[in-house]
C-alpha cells in the first residue's frame, strides 16, 4: 500500500506542470509568402501561467479537482497523507541508522586490513629485523633490545639453528601408557585444523589436562568447560586478546567456536598454558604473568616473573616474542625463560598455580636462542632442535629431580616447516603443536 501511495504522489507531481502546459501552450501552422509551411509553438511564462485562464476558470479549481481524483483513487481504505509521511520519516531514520552502522563496520574493516598489511610487510622483512644480539642485559622495560623492536608489530622467524650433537641416545626401555617416565619416542603429527587466514600462521592451541570438576568461582554455577574443550589463540597481530573456545576436537576441526572470550590484557608469545580451569600467559611487552580464570572470565592473578627477559630479549630460535614459555605437566606449572644472570641459558621455574609465585628455579646448560621450542614432561624439560627441519630431534633434556641435563636425540617431524609452538598435555599424553597454519598433535611413548 505504501508503494502504491508513493507512485500516486509521484504521478500527481509529474502531471501537474504538464496539465498547466496544456492550458497555456499552442501550436499554429501557416504558409509564408514563399509557400513554405511555418509551425509556431507558443507557451505561457511562469507569471502568465499562474493567472486564471481566459475562460475565467480559477487555478484553484484545477488543484481541487486533482485532489478529489487522488482521494478517489486512494479510496476509503487507503493511507492518509500524514500517516504516509510519518512512515516515510521512520523509514528514513532506519536507513540512516543502518548507514551509520555500515560506516562504522567499514572503518573497523579498514583498520583490520591495515593491520594485516603491516603484518604481511613485517613477515616479508623479518630476516632484516633480527640482527641484534638478544643476549644483552635484561630487567628493564625499555632496554635497547626491547626498543629495537618497538616498531615491530609481529612475531617472526629469527634464524636456523645448529642442532646440539647427541652424546648418547635415551635407551629404549620398557614402555608404559600411564604414570611418569622418560620420553622415548614421538609419533607422526596428526592434523586437526588448518588456519585459513594470515592471522593463523602461528599461535597456540590447547586442551586443559586437569579441568576443575566443580565450579571454580561463585559466578560460575556449573563448569562450562571440560577436558574436551579446545582453546585457540591466533598469535599474528599486535593486540592479542581473542580466545576461541570449541566444544570438542570435532567442532574444532570444523571451525565452529562455541564462544570467544576477550582476555583482560593482551598476550605475547605462543607460550600460553592451560591448567586447572585457568589460562596462564605472558602479558604483552612485559615479564608479567597473567592467570585468567576461564569459567568466571576474570583475572585471577598477575605477577612479574623476576628477571625474565621479554619482547625479544631471550626468544627461541623461532624468534617470535617467545621469551616466556609456560607449561603444565604431571608435576605442576612451569615457566621456561632466561635472564641476564643466566646469560641466555634456559631457566626453569616451578610456579604456584594460584599466586604465580616462583617456588624453585633451575638453570640449564642450553641457550634458549639455540633451540626452537621446549616443553615439560614429568618434571623434565625437553628442547626441540629446529622449527623448520622436516626431520629434527628433541636434542636436550634437563631433569629437575636430579638438577642435571644431557643431550638427547628423539626424532621429531616438522611436517609443515614452521613450528611455532610445542606443548605437552599429560592427560592425553600428546604433544600439541602449531606448525605453519596447521594445528597438530603427536603421540608420545614414555618409559615405564
Ligand atoms: Ca612450549
Amino acid at each position: 500500500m505504501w508503494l502504491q501511495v508513493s507512485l500516486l504522489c509521484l504521478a500527481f507531481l509529474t502531471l501537474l506542470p504538464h496539465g498547466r502546459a496544456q492550458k497555456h501552450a499552442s501550436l499554429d501552422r501557416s504558409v509564408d509568402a514563399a509557400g513554405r509551411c511555418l509551425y509556431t509553438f507558443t507557451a505561457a511564462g511562469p507569471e502568465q501561467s499562474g493567472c486564471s485562464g481566459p475562460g475565467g476558470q480559477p487555478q484553484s479549481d484545477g488543484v481541487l479537482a486533482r485532489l478529489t481524483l487522488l482521494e478517489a483513487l486512494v479510496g476509503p481504505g487507503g493511507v492518509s497523507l500524514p500517516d504516509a509521511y510519518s512512515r516515510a520519516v521512520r523509514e528514513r531514520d532506519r536507513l540512516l541508522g543502518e548507514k551509520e552502522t555500515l560506516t562504522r563496520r567499514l572503518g573497523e574493516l579498514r583498520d583490520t586490513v591495515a593491520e594485516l598489511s603491516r603484518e604481511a610487510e613485517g613477515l616479508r622483512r623479518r630476516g632484516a629485523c633480527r640482527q641484534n644480539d638478544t643476549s644483552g642485559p635484561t630487567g628493564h622495560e625499555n632496554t635497547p633490545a626491547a626498543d629495537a623492536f618497538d616498531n615491530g608489530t609481529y612475531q617472526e622467524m629469527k634464524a636456523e639453528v645448529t642442532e646440539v650433537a647427541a652424546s648418547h641416545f635415551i635407551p629404549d626401555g620398557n614402555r608404559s601408557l600411564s604414570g611418569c617416565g622418560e620420553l622415548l619416542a614421538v609419533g607422526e603429527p596428526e592434523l586437526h585444523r588448518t588456519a585459513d587466514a594470515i592471522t593463523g600462521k602461528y599461535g597456540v592451541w590447547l586442551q586443559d589436562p586437569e579441568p576443575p570438576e566443580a565450579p571454580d568461582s561463585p559466578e560460575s554455577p556449573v563448569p562450562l568447560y571440560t577436558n574436551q574443550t579446545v582453546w585457540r589463540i591466533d598469535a599474528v597481530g599486535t593486540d592479542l586478546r581473542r580466545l576461541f573456545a570449541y566444544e570438542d576436537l570435532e567442532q574444532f576441526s570444523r571451525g565452529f567456536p562455541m564462544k570467544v572470550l576477550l582476555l583482560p590484557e593482551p598476550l605475547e608469545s605462543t607460550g600460553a598454558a592451560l591448567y586447572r580451569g585457568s589460562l596462564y600467559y605472558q602479558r604483552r611487552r612485559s615479564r608479567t604473568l597473567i592467570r585468567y580464570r576461564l569459567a568466571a572470565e576474570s583475572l585471577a592473578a598477575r605477577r612479574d616473573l623476576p628477571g625474565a627477559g621479554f619482547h625479544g630479549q631471550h626468544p627461541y630460535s623461532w624468534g617470535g616474542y617467545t621469551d616466556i614459555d609456560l607449561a603444565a605437566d604431571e608435576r605442576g606449572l612451569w615457566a621456561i625463560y632466561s635472564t641476564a644472570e643466566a646469560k641466555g641459558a634456559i631457566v626453569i621455574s616451578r610456579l604456584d598455580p594460584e599466586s604465580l609465585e616462583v617456588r624453585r628455579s633451575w638453570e640449564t646448560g642450553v641457550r634458549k636462542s639455540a633451540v626452537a621450542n621446549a616443553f615439560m614432561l614429568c618434571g623434565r624439560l625437553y628442547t626441540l632442535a629446529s622449527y623448520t627441519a622436516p626431520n629434527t630431534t628433541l636434542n636436550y633434556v634437563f631433569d629437575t629431580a636430579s638438577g642435571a641435563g644431557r643431550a638427547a636425540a628423539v626424532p621429531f617431524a616438522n611436517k609443515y616447516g614452521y613450528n611455532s609452538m610445542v606443548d605437552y598435555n599429560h592427560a592425553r599424553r600428546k604433544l600439541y603443536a602449531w606448525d605453519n597454519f596447521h594445528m597438530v598433535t603427536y603421540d608420545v611413548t614414555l618409559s615405564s
Side-chain angles (χ1 to χ4, degrees), residues 45-123:
E47 292 184 3
Q48 293 168 295
S49 63
C51 299
S52 299
Q57 179 73 21
Q59 185 72 17
S60 59
D61 289 353
V63 174
L64 180 61
R66 292 185 182 92
L67 282 175
T68 304
L69 174 62
L70 179 61
E71 286 174 356
L73 287 171
V74 171
V79 179
S80 69
L81 290 178
D83 287 346
Y85 177 75
S86 298
R87 292 178 64 170
V89 170
R90 286 198 298 274
E91 182 70 6
R92 182 202 62 185
D93 291 344
R94 186 184 67 78
L95 291 172
L96 285 174
E98 283 188 5
K99 180 186 174 188
E100 190 175 324
T101 302
L102 289 172
T103 302
R104 192 166 58 247
R105 290 187 61 189
L106 179 63
E108 291 170 357
L109 286 171
R110 281 178 173 151
D111 289 346
T112 302
V113 168
E115 182 171 337
L116 291 177
S117 298
R118 287 194 298 273
E119 297 293 341
E121 178 63 20
L123 287 169

Side-chain angles (χ1 to χ4, degrees), residues 23 257 330 370 393 432:
K23 283 183 175 294
E330 299 86 345
T393 57
Y432 285 54

Side-chain angles (χ1 to χ4, degrees), residues 10-262:
L10 183 62
F12 174 75
L13 293 172
T14 305
L15 289 172
L16 186 59
H18 180 64
R20 283 179 181 167
Q22 282 183 327
K23 283 183 175 294
H24 302 287
S26 62
L27 180 66
D28 297 319
R29 186 178 64 180
S30 60
V31 179
D32 67 2
R36 293 174 298 189
C37 285
L38 291 178
Y39 292 92
T40 307
F41 178 75
T42 306
E47 292 184 3
Q48 293 168 295
S49 63
C51 299
S52 299
Q57 179 73 21
Q59 185 72 17
S60 59
D61 289 353
V63 174
L64 180 61
R66 292 185 182 92
L67 282 175
T68 304
L69 174 62
L70 179 61
E71 286 174 356
L73 287 171
V74 171
V79 179
S80 69
L81 290 178
D83 287 346
Y85 177 75
S86 298
R87 292 178 64 170
V89 170
R90 286 198 298 274
E91 182 70 6
R92 182 202 62 185
D93 291 344
R94 186 184 67 78
L95 291 172
L96 285 174
E98 283 188 5
K99 180 186 174 188
E100 190 175 324
T101 302
L102 289 172
T103 302
R104 192 166 58 247
R105 290 187 61 189
L106 179 63
E108 291 170 357
L109 286 171
R110 281 178 173 151
D111 289 346
T112 302
V113 168
E115 182 171 337
L116 291 177
S117 298
R118 287 194 298 273
E119 297 293 341
E121 178 63 20
L123 287 169
R124 278 194 289 273
R125 292 182 301 158
R126 62 196 173 203
C129 290
R130 286 250 174 214
Q131 304 286 325
N132 290 356
D133 179 8
T134 58
S135 62
T138 61
H140 300 287
E141 180 107 10
N142 295 318
T143 59
D147 289 342
F149 302 105
D150 275 354
N151 295 325
T153 58
Y154 47 88
Q155 306 185 44
E156 79 277 25
M157 174 169 63
K158 181 185 177 187
E160 291 289 339
V161 299
T162 303
E163 297 194 15
V164 176
S167 58
H168 60 271
F169 289 80
I170 294 175
D172 187 9
N174 295 329
R175 296 166 185 242
S176 168
L177 293 177
S178 62
C180 263
E182 289 198 359
L183 177 58
L184 302 177
V186 177
E188 289 296 308
E190 179 186 356
L191 179 63
H192 296 278
R193 174 76 187 155
T194 304
D196 50 11
I198 182 65
T199 52
K201 181 171 176 62
Y202 42 84
V204 53
W205 79 285
L206 301 158
Q207 289 183 289
D208 192 341
E210 298 182 30
E213 294 180 1
D216 65 347
S217 79
E219 293 82 23
S220 54
V222 293
L224 297 173
Y225 311 117
T226 69
N227 60 354
Q228 301 295 314
T229 311
V230 179
W231 301 88
R232 164 183 171 175
I233 301 171
D234 290 357
V236 177
T238 55
D239 189 39
L240 307 178
R241 290 173 185 266
R242 290 194 301 173
L243 172 63
F244 293 91
Y246 301 81
E247 190 172 347
D248 52 29
L249 270 172
E250 185 179 341
Q251 294 300 313
F252 177 67
S253 297
R254 292 178 178 177
F256 301 142
M258 64 174 178
K259 193 164 186 178
V260 183
L261 282 68
L262 198 63

Side-chain angles (χ1 to χ4, degrees), residues 325 373-374 422:
D325 191 6
N373 216 300
V422 183

